[in-house]
């Protein structure tokens, strides 16, 4: 628990540094707007042969600070050293939906707090080789089809990109709380090690962050 308290302290400090705190009059927010964006940090993984990730984000914003938020993503990854004589690959899609409250600080920076429900439907593939001096190597393999769900507490900080109207950069800090996998006993022989969008499956609570770029479209001013 102490590491999460330390994380929250770091988040609050980063939000303070990210936002402009000098006294100014914040511009009036649109009464209704839509945001579309991507997690640009995940796009870097497309350059690596054993990992592919992408995630899109969207939001419907209301002028009084409430937002309806969603994300949709895909992950395929082969972690190294999961098995000494084998490989493990997991692949699947996930989504998050929820709401948040956002507060403008300074001229245009925003901090927010939100809740999400998240779900992933995915497959994992395990293959490993049993070695022996008495007989030929024997290969075991298995594919699990898995569904997992979790809840998230999300802190957000974002600000405008200078000279590009309505374009914003920001970050999400997430605390995730996993609903334990149902029928976990059926995965005892070939365990589920990781969940797309969540992380390591044996951790019932974990933390993560996203860096995003998005474009805000004001529909009603």
């Amino acid at each position: 628990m102490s590491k999460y308290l330390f994380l929250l302290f770091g988040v609050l400090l980063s939000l303070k540094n990210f936002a402009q705190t000098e006294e100014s009059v914040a511009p009036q927010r649109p009464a209704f707007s839509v945001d579309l964006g991507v997690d640009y940090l995940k796009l870097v993984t497309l350059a690596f042969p054993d990992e592919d990730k992408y995630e899109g984000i969207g939001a419907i914003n209301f002028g009084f600070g409430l937002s309806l938020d969603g994300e949709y993503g895909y992950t395929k990854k082969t972690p190294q050293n999961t098995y000494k004589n084998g490989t493990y690959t997991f692949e699947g899609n996930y989504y998050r939906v929820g709401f948040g409250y956002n507060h403008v600080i300074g001229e245009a920076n925003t901090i927010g707090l939100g809740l999400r429900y998240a779900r992933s439907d995915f497959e994992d593939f395990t293959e490993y080789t049993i070695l022996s001096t008495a007989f030929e190597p024997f290969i075991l393999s298995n594919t699990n089809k898995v569904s997992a769900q979790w809840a998230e507490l999300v802190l957000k900080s974002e600000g405008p990109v200078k000279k590009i109207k309505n374009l914003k950069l920001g970050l999400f800090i997430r605390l995730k709380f996993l609903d334990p996998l149902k029928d976990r006993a059926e995965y005892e022989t070939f365990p589920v090690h990781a969940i797309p969008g969540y992380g390591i499956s044996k951790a019932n609570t974990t933390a993560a962050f996203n860096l995003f770029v998005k474009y805000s479209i004001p529909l009603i001013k």
Side-chain angles (χ1 to χ4, degrees), residues 1-9 175-176 203-207:
M1 181 60 68
S2 60
K3 66 178 180 180
Y4 296 117
L5 293 175
F6 179 78
L7 174 65
L8 287 174
F9 176 78
L175 289 181
K176 305 179 184 182
N204 289 331
T205 304
T206 189

Side-chain angles (χ1 to χ4, degrees), residues 7-17 155:
L7 174 65
L8 287 174
F9 176 78
V11 170
L12 293 174
L13 182 61
S14 65
L15 292 179
K16 179 180 179 181
N17 292 333
L155 294 172

Side-chain angles (χ1 to χ4, degrees), residues 119-147:
R119 178 183 172 94
S120 178
D121 295 292
F122 65 101
E123 293 184 353
D124 69 355
F125 176 75
T126 302
E127 181 179 271
Y128 58 87
T129 303
I130 299 176
L131 301 176
S132 173
T133 58
F135 51 82
E136 293 295 322
F138 182 70
I139 298 176
L140 292 176
S141 63
N142 181 74
T143 298
N144 291 317
K145 294 185 177 181
V146 190
S147 295

Side-chain angles (χ1 to χ4, degrees), residues 15-56:
L15 292 179
K16 179 180 179 181
N17 292 333
F18 187 83
Q20 296 178 353
T21 56
E22 64 268 17
E23 295 183 1
S24 60
V25 178
Q28 184 177 3
R29 289 187 289 195
F32 184 76
S33 65
V34 174
D35 294 344
L36 297 173
V38 296
D39 180 337
Y40 61 85
L41 190 60
K42 283 186 171 59
L43 297 178
V44 176
T45 66
L46 300 179
F48 298 96
D50 59 350
E51 185 174 3
D52 290 327
K53 294 181 181 180
Y54 59 79
E55 183 175 311

Side-chain angles (χ1 to χ4, degrees), residues 4-213:
Y4 296 117
L5 293 175
F6 179 78
L7 174 65
L8 287 174
F9 176 78
V11 170
L12 293 174
L13 182 61
S14 65
L15 292 179
K16 179 180 179 181
N17 292 333
F18 187 83
Q20 296 178 353
T21 56
E22 64 268 17
E23 295 183 1
S24 60
V25 178
Q28 184 177 3
R29 289 187 289 195
F32 184 76
S33 65
V34 174
D35 294 344
L36 297 173
V38 296
D39 180 337
Y40 61 85
L41 190 60
K42 283 186 171 59
L43 297 178
V44 176
T45 66
L46 300 179
F48 298 96
D50 59 350
E51 185 174 3
D52 290 327
K53 294 181 181 180
Y54 59 79
E55 183 175 311
I57 65 174
I60 299 174
N61 306 298
F62 300 92
F64 50 86
L66 181 68
S67 64
L68 302 178
D69 304 286
E71 295 105 29
Y72 183 84
Y74 165 84
T75 295
K76 181 179 181 180
K77 186 175 182 179
T78 303
Q80 299 299 314
N81 302 318
T82 303
Y83 293 104
K84 184 176 181 180
N85 296 318
T87 60
Y88 177 79
T89 299
F90 64 100
E91 178 180 10
N93 302 306
Y94 59 91
Y95 67 85
R96 309 183 187 98
V97 292
F99 62 91
Y101 181 77
N102 307 283
H103 179 67
V104 177
I105 293 180
E107 295 183 353
N109 295 284
T110 301
I111 60 172
L113 179 66
L115 294 174
R116 304 278 196 278
Y117 165 81
R119 178 183 172 94
S120 178
D121 295 292
F122 65 101
E123 293 184 353
D124 69 355
F125 176 75
T126 302
E127 181 179 271
Y128 58 87
T129 303
I130 299 176
L131 301 176
S132 173
T133 58
F135 51 82
E136 293 295 322
F138 182 70
I139 298 176
L140 292 176
S141 63
N142 181 74
T143 298
N144 291 317
K145 294 185 177 181
V146 190
S147 295
Q149 60 184 0
W150 64 95
E152 296 185 359
L153 176 65
V154 182
L155 294 172
K156 178 180 75 173
S157 178
E158 67 180 32
V161 176
K162 293 182 178 180
K163 299 182 180 180
I164 305 180
K165 187 177 181 180
N166 297 331
L167 190 66
K168 300 178 181 180
L169 291 173
L171 76 156
F172 292 122
I173 302 292
R174 305 176 186 274
L175 289 181
K176 305 179 184 182
F177 307 92
L178 181 66
D179 182 13
L181 293 175
K182 296 180 180 179
D183 303 319
R184 186 183 288 271
E186 71 178 86
Y187 307 124
E188 288 181 355
T189 304
F190 297 91
V192 176
H193 291 284
I195 301 170
Y198 180 81
I200 302 301
S201 63
K202 67 179 180 180
N204 289 331
T205 304
T206 189
F209 73 94
N210 302 83
L211 299 176
F212 64 84
V213 58

